[in-house]
Amino acid sequence: MATYSLANERLRALEDIEREIGAILQNAGTVILELSKEKTNERLLDRQAAAFTASVQHVEAELSAQIRYLTQLPDGIANSNSGKK
């Protein structure tokens, strides 16, 4: 039962990462839209750039944690699900 709970926790973490990537893309789109204007709002650009950077760093840290976890799994567990559909 604990393994099932851990797997659900890992899936939720990946879903959170996916949502964060969506926010990154949205921030980037806002910056591009703002840069396309003749007169840009510097404060908006600074806020969006800071949010973009923070989100990218968070996603990188979370993905690294996921990868570290997967590399620590015993080979039998990591490979036992690779052929299943």
Side-chain angles (χ1 to χ4, degrees):
M1 190 71 109
T3 303
Y4 182 73
S5 168
L6 183 59
N8 281 338
E9 183 180 323
R10 292 286 170 189
L11 287 174
R12 275 193 298 277
L14 289 172
E15 288 171 350
D16 290 344
I17 292 169
E18 184 178 16
R19 277 191 291 279
E20 188 94 28
I21 290 170
I24 288 169
L25 294 173
Q26 191 170 20
N27 286 337
T30 301
V31 168
I32 290 170
L33 182 64
E34 189 63 29
L35 288 172
S36 71
K37 296 178 181 176
E38 266 188 54
K39 186 171 182 170
T40 60
N41 181 341
E42 293 294 325
R43 290 179 67 195
L44 175 65
L45 286 173
D46 288 342
R47 280 195 315 272
Q48 292 297 321
F52 177 86
T53 302
S55 292
V56 168
Q57 289 172 344
H58 182 253
V59 165
E60 181 181 15
E62 290 298 317
L63 285 175
S64 293
Q66 293 288 333
I67 292 168
R68 267 193 312 279
Y69 169 77
L70 290 173
T71 59
Q72 293 173 358
L73 288 177
D75 283 337
I77 293 173
N79 292 331
S80 67
N81 292 327
S82 63
K84 294 182 181 177
K85 293 188 181 199

